Amino acid sequence: MGTGNIDAQGNVHPDPFWSHYTLGNIRQKPFGEIWADTSDPLLRGLRNCLPLLKGRCAKCLWKSPCHGNLRVRAERVYGDPWMSDPACYLSHEEVSRGLPASSETMEDNVLFEEEAA
């Protein structure tokens, strides 16, 4: 979670897509205090969402790099930000297939593929 959003009225949102969810207002409290506040359950969850993910996202082998993608879509469709991202394009096989037998991490594989190109 590295992007916040401040609208024209000074309201702070988790990101531009969460405009309906306000964390605080910079006219009443400094941004740093709002952003560092650990009492807001959504912001706390967005910072560490992997244990909260449900459905396909919870079981997906790619959840670590993906982080469940856009949590606001799940919230808007299912009313629960931790449900599966309804716009996930991965097939069932891609979500559940076995990891490569090698001990390389996904990042190592990506770098290797980029170097080969």
Side-chain angles (χ1 to χ4, degrees):
M1 172 99 210
T3 304
N5 175 259
I6 303 171
D7 66 24
Q9 290 77 40
N11 296 314
V12 177
H13 310 283
D15 67 34
F17 301 104
W18 285 98
S19 61
H20 63 287
Y21 192 92
T22 301
L23 300 167
N25 189 290
I26 59 168
R27 294 180 179 156
Q28 299 162 355
K29 191 183 217 182
F31 175 79
E33 287 181 32
I34 295 169
W35 200 247
D37 187 358
T38 59
S39 67
D40 186 276
L42 179 66
L43 187 58
R44 190 172 56 246
L46 289 171
R47 288 190 174 130
N48 186 26
C49 69
L50 294 182
L52 302 174
L53 295 176
K54 300 175 185 175
R56 283 172 38 104
C57 289
K59 299 172 186 169
C60 184
L61 295 172
W62 306 106
K63 71 181 175 184
S64 184
C66 173
H67 288 271
N69 204 1
L70 198 56
R71 300 289 77 224
V72 72
R73 272 194 299 246
E75 190 264 341
R76 288 298 194 157
V77 171
Y78 303 115
D80 183 345
W82 315 120
M83 285 300 297
S84 300
D85 182 342
C88 177
Y89 58 84
L90 296 177
S91 68
H92 176 70
E93 292 77 24
E94 291 170 315
V95 167
S96 61
R97 73 182 162 106
L99 293 172
S102 74
S103 61
E104 294 176 342
T105 65
M106 189 175 88
E107 290 82 7
D108 292 338
N109 291 335
V110 170
L111 290 174
F112 179 75
E113 290 172 7
E114 287 176 354
E115 291 170 0

